[in-house]
């Protein structure tokens, strides 16, 4: 992780932020933020009870957290003849690609998003299916 931080925000020192962070650091999930708000307990729980309450809250939320793998993607502008559009669309599922935008003028322009690791193979495949006429240009991030 690029940044790691925690806060007890008014709770007794070491009873909220650090225990929650320890659970997060050992859960195997990256790029996550957790905020827990306590409405009841405090003095009645004691410091050990507060630590357990905050850790248990994080664990319970992690147990039901939907997870998704973050895959680096790239956007390509593909310019091709109208006669080759169907060939492009047939290739998309093979390369886990999807259409992000389309524009139709003298030639078709289709912006696609696909996993970065599949960019080279996709460009080779579309070139092969269009006799080298399709042009793929990476879209620069703004």
């Amino acid at each position: 992780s690029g940044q790691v931080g925690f806060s007890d925000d008014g709770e007794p020192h070491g009873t909220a932020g650090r225990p929650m962070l320890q659970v997060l650091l050992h859960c195997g999930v990256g790029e996550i933020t957790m905020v827990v708000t306590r409405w009841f307990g405090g003095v009645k729980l004691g410091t050990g009870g507060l630590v357990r309450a905050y850790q248990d809250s994080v664990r319970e939320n992690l147990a039901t957290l939907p997870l998704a793998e973050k895959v680096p993607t790239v956007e390509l502008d593909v310019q091709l003849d109208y006669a080759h559009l169907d060939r492009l669309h047939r290739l998309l599922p093979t390369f886990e690609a999807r259409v992000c935008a389309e524009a139709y003028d003298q030639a078709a322009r289709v912006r696609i998003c696909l996993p970065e690791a599949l960019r080279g193979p996709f460009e080779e495949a579309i070139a092969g299916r269009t006799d080298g006429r399709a042009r793929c240009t990476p879209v620069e991030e703004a």
Side-chain angles (χ1 to χ4, degrees):
S1 294
Q3 294 181 340
V4 177
F6 63 90
S7 171
D8 289 323
D9 194 33
E11 294 289 62
H13 180 71
T15 60
R18 185 171 299 280
M20 290 171 34
L21 178 63
Q22 290 304 312
V23 174
L24 291 173
L25 290 175
H26 295 95
C27 73
V29 176
E31 297 189 31
I32 187 168
T33 298
M34 180 74 63
V35 176
V36 176
T37 302
R38 179 180 58 80
W39 291 96
F40 178 78
V43 175
K44 292 182 180 190
L45 290 176
T47 57
L50 281 173
V51 168
R52 283 189 299 280
Y54 281 109
Q55 287 177 330
D56 290 348
S57 179
V58 173
R59 284 188 193 103
E60 287 175 22
N61 281 284
L62 288 171
T64 59
L65 180 69
L67 300 175
E69 182 179 354
K70 185 175 180 180
V71 177
T73 59
V74 64
E75 286 187 20
L76 295 177
D77 267 334
V78 182
Q79 188 170 349
L80 66 167
D81 297 333
Y82 285 100
H84 298 138
L85 265 176
D86 189 51
R87 296 174 190 176
L88 169 69
H89 286 284
R90 287 186 196 172
L91 277 178
L92 297 180
T94 305
F95 294 94
E96 302 172 29
R98 62 182 170 79
V99 174
C100 300
E102 299 171 294
Y104 299 101
D105 199 8
Q106 289 180 337
R109 287 185 57 194
V110 181
R111 179 174 290 187
I112 63 165
C113 302
L114 74 157
E116 197 173 87
L118 298 176
R119 176 184 171 186
F122 170 80
E123 288 177 338
E124 289 176 20
I126 193 65
R129 299 246 177 128
T130 62
D131 300 321
R133 292 186 179 151
R135 286 187 285 146
C136 296
T137 308
V139 177
E140 300 300 323
E141 293 185 27

